[in-house]
Amino acid sequence: MYTSQETSKAPVVAPATTLWDNIAGRCLREQALRTHDPLFLEGDDAEFLYGVVEGILCNYRILSDGRRQVISFSYPGDLIGLGHSAAYHFSCEAVCGARVRSIRKNAILYDAEGHVGIERRLLEFADVELASMQEHQLLLGRKTALERVASFLLMLARRSVGDHAQGSHFRIPMTRTDIADYLGLTIETVSRNMSKLRFKGVIDLPQATTILVLDIQLLETLAEAEEGAF
Amino acid sequence: MYTSQETSKAPVVAPATTLWDNIAGRCLREQALRTHDPLFLEGDDAEFLYGVVEGILCNYRILSDGRRQVISFSYPGDLIGLGHSAAYHFSCEAVCGARVRSIRKNAILYDAEGHVGIERRLLEFADVELASMQEHQLLLGRKTALERVASFLLMLARRSVGDHAQGSHFRIPMTRTDIADYLGLTIETVSRNMSKLRFKGVIDLPQATTILVLDIQLLETLAEAEEGAF
DNA sequence: CGTGAGGTTGATCGCTTTCAACGGAGGTGG
DNA sequence: CCACCTCCGTTGAAAGCGATCAACCTCACG
């Protein structure tokens, strides 16, 4: 059964035109996932490529003693399954209720017709993924806890549907554990820094899962603007 | 003039067959870089794709206050310039003396003939890069200083030419600053943990730039084996 | 109304950073 | 040829930030 997480207002839906559209029509199978349902686990045969239709998933790796690192969150329009060869290199599970479409990798990659357009788009997608992973590495390696939380909220704002201007509010679909594992922190540190942002008047948290950005400029400053301005 | 770094014994040279061979012959230009010479900077027009012929380069991002995160090191056979759209998203400089070949991106990507083979190989390369970045994120987000240093030395051993069995010794081509910025630590912490590994009898450091692995199994254990064994 | 999961807050611990001094290697110029 | 200087690396002492341990709160659900 679904929790209130994903059935409530403002469901996250795929944008109009995506790479996915290009592949649509090739033996797609749609699949529904509930919160914490796994899509696949590290080591599974990497048979399918998945496209997120609705909801959010998280890709993560774990160490033998249970320490977990969330690599990325996948939103509607995103593709999951690139960067794997024979077996998936990480695990993937739903953060909230989600729907994904699967397509057999062979169907695109080893199609004799040679779909140049598709390969180019997959390459573009890999490019975007690489860029965002570089950003994430900078965060994990060099940012303070407050900067990490601010950066995360900013990313959340950008990826949330609707306007993300001053005063806009949006849902935080993932748990504090998911956030902490994404930011390389503990849930306590995430919570503390959320509160710190609240005391500073940068954000408000009407509920734990809802955020209201009061001062987006300050939030951007606290997220430590990268030096792209040179 | 070159420093002793790259002219000394055991130069790092490209393996026999690489993706690069596939592209060879298309308006390539070779270029020599000395230690710390930049190949390009964040924000530059991403006109070229580079292939490392010899030496090692490092790709990094910096925050406005100077904090630096090394994203990856590029070895002979590696490709640099993927994951950028119009402008490079990170900076790249030589860690030691190096030679690279450049090719205009347009020459491959927008060639009307549609070189399916090349695009597929670029995609494969992006896959490998994504996988190693996921590994790196796990390191940055969840590993302790000792585990990071051990992981780094293991990576170094694997990428160094020649056998990397017990008792093998190899050079550390990058400075402690490069290592620290790669591992998300300070140079002091890197140094301290190198010493700790030496006291434990896992490695020996005849010189600061030369390492001798005495107990590779213990080194692997200390690097915290990931749970791929399931 | 009881229960359990998720989130917040407080107190303390400890690992990594910071600040600081020292040592060795390589390069330069007297 | 040697003294000097600078860069890089190591080591020590102290400080600080995030982790850990623990209590409490809130809300959804049975």
Side-chain angles (χ1 to χ4, degrees), chain B residues 134-154:
Chain B
Q134 288 160 15
E135 192 78 32
H136 196 199
Q137 285 193 359
L138 182 62
L139 179 149
L140 291 172
R142 290 304 183 203
K143 287 192 179 179
T144 66
L146 187 63
E147 287 166 351
R148 294 183 201 203
V149 171
S151 301
F152 171 75
L153 293 178
L154 231 35

Side-chain angles (χ1 to χ4, degrees), chain B residues 6-198:
Chain B
E6 71 279 352
T7 51
S8 60
K9 69 259 178 178
V12 189
V13 178
T17 308
T18 63
L19 165 56
W20 197 242
D21 296 335
N22 264 31
I23 307 173
R26 299 166 192 276
C27 63
L28 292 174
R29 195 165 59 94
E30 194 159 310
Q31 191 175 344
L33 294 165
R34 292 174 303 171
T35 308
H36 295 140
D37 277 356
L39 181 58
F40 54 78
L41 296 176
E42 193 177 331
D44 284 357
D45 276 351
E47 198 180 352
F48 296 100
L49 203 63
Y50 299 93
V52 183
V53 176
E54 188 181 345
I56 301 172
L57 295 94
C58 86
N59 310 299
Y60 61 92
R61 295 198 55 168
I62 45 180
L63 292 169
S64 46
D65 62 0
R67 280 176 288 175
R68 190 177 80 131
Q69 178 62 44
V70 171
I71 305 299
S72 61
F73 293 107
S74 294
Y75 276 69
D78 286 351
L79 227 47
I80 307 173
L82 238 56
H84 310 291
S85 29
Y88 294 115
H89 289 146
F90 57 81
S91 305
C92 177
E93 69 172 43
V95 152
C96 53
R99 285 186 298 125
V100 298
R101 283 182 187 167
S102 54
I103 182 172
R104 218 168 278 277
K105 275 180 155 183
N106 295 345
I108 359 178
L109 292 179
Y110 300 105
D111 194 324
E113 296 173 37
H115 303 280
V116 179
I118 285 178
E119 287 189 322
R120 170 116 4 124
R121 298 211 70 174
L122 287 175
L123 207 48
E124 281 166 18
F125 184 83
D127 275 9
V128 172
E129 196 152 312
L130 281 169
S132 84
M133 288 190 76
Q134 288 160 15
E135 192 78 32
H136 196 199
Q137 285 193 359
L138 182 62
L139 179 149
L140 291 172
R142 290 304 183 203
K143 287 192 179 179
T144 66
L146 187 63
E147 287 166 351
R148 294 183 201 203
V149 171
S151 301
F152 171 75
L153 293 178
L154 231 35
M155 181 209 77
L156 209 60
R158 290 196 200 99
R159 301 195 86 169
S160 294
V161 274
D163 73 321
H164 45 272
Q166 199 108 327
S168 67
H169 73 286
F170 46 88
R171 296 194 66 257
I172 303 179
M174 51 290 277
T175 65
R176 295 293 190 270
T177 301
D178 290 327
I179 299 173
D181 287 348
Y182 178 73
L183 298 179
L185 301 170
T186 58
I187 54 171
E188 293 95 330
T189 302
V190 171
S191 188
R192 267 185 254 278
N193 284 281
M194 291 265 205
S195 299
K196 196 178 281 185
L197 289 174
R198 192 152 51 83

Side-chain angles (χ1 to χ4, degrees), chain A residues 93-168:
Chain A
E93 69 172 43
V95 151
C96 54
R99 285 187 297 124
V100 299
R101 284 181 186 168
S102 54
I103 182 172
R104 220 167 278 276
K105 276 179 155 186
N106 296 346
I108 0 177
L109 292 179
Y110 300 105
D111 194 322
E113 294 173 39
H115 302 281
V116 178
I118 285 178
E119 287 189 323
R120 170 115 6 122
R121 297 210 71 173
L122 287 174
L123 208 47
E124 281 167 18
F125 184 83
D127 275 10
V128 173
E129 196 151 315
L130 281 169
S132 85
M133 287 188 77
Q134 288 159 15
E135 192 78 30
H136 196 198
Q137 285 193 359
L138 182 62
L139 179 149
L140 291 172
R142 289 304 182 204
K143 287 193 179 178
T144 64
L146 187 64
E147 289 166 351
R148 294 184 201 202
V149 171
S151 301
F152 170 76
L153 293 177
L154 231 35
M155 180 208 78
L156 209 60
R158 291 197 200 98
R159 302 196 84 169
S160 293
V161 274
D163 73 320
H164 45 273
Q166 200 106 326
S168 67

Side-chain angles (χ1 to χ4, degrees), chain A residues 59-71:
Chain A
N59 310 299
Y60 62 92
R61 296 197 53 166
I62 43 180
L63 292 169
S64 46
D65 61 0
R67 280 176 288 177
R68 188 176 81 132
Q69 177 62 45
V70 171
I71 304 298

